[in-house]
Amino acid sequence: MADYLKEQGYKTAVFGKWHQGNADRFHPTKRGFDEFYGFRGGARSYMPYGTDNELKRDEDRLERGFGDFKEHDGYLTDDLAEEANSFMERNQKNPFFIYLAFNAVHTPMEATEEDLKKVQGLTGKRKTLAAMAIAMDRACGKVFDYIKELGLDKNTLIVFTNDNGGPSDANESLNDPLSGTKANHLEGGIRVPFLMSWPGKLKPNTVYDNPISTLDLLPTFLNAAGGDVNAVEGLDGVDLIPYVQGKNNGKPHEVLYWKKENRGAIRQNDWKLVRFPDRPAELYNIKEDIAETNDLASKYPEKVRKLYKKLFDWELTLERPLWQLERRFEGKAATRMDTYRKHN
């Protein structure tokens, strides 16, 4: 994404979690980003590492640019917002793209005493989760306020989303009314919040109900930046703006696919098939049964066959994985899913 936007004259930066490969050859500054301030791995402490907080993995080290490792002061969520604001101040005369990848509210469960005091009526991880969310909300507010202060709000497209459903076992997040949790293909694992703001382009308080994908972000951003997404081959995403504006009344995606190891899912319009390694496939009508409690596989065997085959045909187009999970994690994923399923 950063490579394409750089071609349109954009300054590019990523702040926070990278998790796209720890090796030097995968570094953000070698993947189209002008600036990087964050950590190469997937999760780290929100507090600075040092004598009282031991660093155990090199991928957790805080890094500025390429190879300049130095820990921050204070609470990392706040720090990332300040870094994003600094970048905007320095580049306010240029078009810019920021990927602000808060690790909040990922484990480890760490919040400041000040934020914990703001949470009433909760205990344990749930209380810490709420305090961490308060910090992230505050950090987002700092960035949004500064966009306005710089006079850039009407010319800035903002997207807020996340990468998976809440890991209920790890941080006591609630995915109600959805079944499932992070690491499975029930709605609680794959359906996430998604908000867009672009004053003058998108009507406030608009709700768009058709399914979309984060794969749509690249074509959406590229077209918004003045590029031509039609010149890019092999994209699975689409430019969302015409759909959200009501200029295109079709659906961005008639079919969506998910896959992890032997697990997979396919959604065609409102019908969704979920394939498991340890039990028969299940079929749901998401529009009528968002909690996925009424398995219709035995009632519509022909639909199961067609969707199963369609999912398999899609898998035949994929590259062979370069690595796989240890098999024990497949078992853990099944247990995790069953623990957080809804029942009639």
Side-chain angles (χ1 to χ4, degrees):
M1 190 179 292
D3 285 321
Y4 287 112
L5 293 176
K6 278 178 71 70
E7 292 177 359
Q8 301 303 315
Y10 275 61
K11 298 293 185 180
T12 58
V14 53
F15 302 106
K17 171 179 177 175
W18 178 237
H19 214 200
Q20 300 292 321
N22 296 343
D24 289 351
R25 66 185 184 277
F26 300 129
H27 194 271
T29 58
K30 302 185 181 183
R31 299 299 302 277
F33 287 100
D34 295 313
E35 295 189 20
F36 171 56
Y37 179 79
F39 54 98
R40 300 189 190 190
R44 59 151 283 161
S45 176
Y46 295 82
M47 313 303 180
Y49 288 114
T51 305
D52 299 327
N53 190 19
E54 182 183 356
L55 174 71
K56 296 181 179 179
R57 302 179 302 189
D58 281 345
E59 67 185 42
D60 295 346
R61 293 186 296 171
L62 199 60
E63 183 178 17
R64 186 181 298 278
F66 180 79
D68 182 9
F69 297 101
K70 182 181 178 181
E71 287 299 302
H72 62 299
D73 295 319
Y75 190 68
L76 186 56
T77 302
D78 293 315
D79 190 48
L80 295 177
E82 295 294 341
E83 290 289 334
N85 284 355
S86 174
F87 177 84
M88 288 193 294
E89 183 174 15
R90 287 181 278 112
N91 292 280
Q92 58 184 295
K93 302 298 184 183
N94 308 306
F96 60 76
F97 167 60
I98 294 176
Y99 172 38
L100 178 51
F102 291 112
N103 47 320
V105 292
H106 200 290
T107 53
M109 304 304 293
E110 296 175 351
T112 66
E113 288 299 323
E114 291 80 4
D115 288 333
L116 286 167
K117 290 176 182 177
K118 299 172 184 175
V119 180
Q120 304 297 322
L122 297 176
T123 60
K125 290 181 180 179
R126 189 82 182 143
K127 179 174 183 174
T128 306
L129 175 67
M132 295 167 72
I134 287 172
M136 185 174 65
D137 184 67
R138 178 177 61 245
C140 290
K142 288 180 180 178
V143 175
F144 299 158
D145 289 346
Y146 203 57
I147 291 172
K148 290 184 179 179
E149 186 177 328
L150 294 174
L152 302 175
D153 51 310
K154 289 183 171 58
N155 196 32
T156 302
L157 169 60
I158 301 172
V159 172
F160 177 90
T161 188
N162 63 300
D163 55 352
N164 48 249
S168 307
D169 50 350
N171 70 2
E172 293 192 12
S173 52
L174 296 178
N175 296 319
D176 293 349
L178 308 176
S179 274
T181 185
K182 176 182 178 180
N184 63 70
H185 295 128
L186 296 176
E187 292 295 284
I190 60 177
R191 186 184 290 236
V192 297
F194 188 98
L195 298 95
M196 300 174 71
S197 171
W198 197 1
K201 299 283 188 178
L202 301 178
K203 185 179 178 181
N205 302 315
T206 299
V207 177
Y208 189 76
D209 287 325
N210 288 322
I212 64 168
S213 165
T214 48
L215 293 173
D216 298 325
L217 290 178
L218 172 55
T220 300
F221 291 169
L222 182 56
N223 277 354
D228 180 12
V229 71
N230 295 319
V232 184
E233 296 183 2
L235 292 182
D236 293 309
V238 301
D239 180 1
L240 292 174
I241 301 301
Y243 293 93
V244 180
Q245 289 177 332
K247 295 178 181 178
N248 188 332
N249 293 321
K251 292 184 176 181
H253 305 280
E254 293 287 338
V255 183
L256 287 170
Y257 303 92
W258 296 264
K259 176 176 171 63
K260 189 174 181 69
E261 306 292 332
N262 297 325
R263 292 166 274 150
I266 176 174
R267 176 170 174 171
Q268 184 168 26
N269 295 316
D270 294 325
W271 288 96
K272 178 181 172 187
L273 178 93
V274 187
R275 189 190 65 201
F276 308 96
D278 65 338
R279 70 198 74 184
E282 297 171 359
L283 179 70
Y284 298 99
N285 186 301
I286 297 300
K287 185 176 182 179
E288 298 175 359
D289 179 24
I290 194 174
E292 294 167 293
T293 60
N294 184 23
D295 178 13
L296 299 172
S298 60
K299 187 175 181 180
Y300 299 102
E302 188 59 31
K303 187 174 288 294
V304 170
R305 278 193 288 270
K306 287 182 178 179
L307 289 176
Y308 205 110
K309 182 65 164 56
K310 196 174 186 69
L311 174 60
F312 178 72
D313 288 342
W314 168 73
E315 287 178 302
L316 294 179
T317 69
L318 304 179
E319 293 289 335
R320 187 176 182 85
L322 296 178
W323 65 87
Q324 290 186 301
L325 291 174
E326 295 178 20
R327 299 310 301 165
R328 61 190 177 94
F329 289 112
E330 282 287 86
K332 286 186 176 182
T335 301
R336 192 179 204 183
M337 177 188 69
D338 288 337
T339 303
Y340 295 98
R341 294 200 79 155
K342 304 297 179 186
H343 299 283
N344 282 331

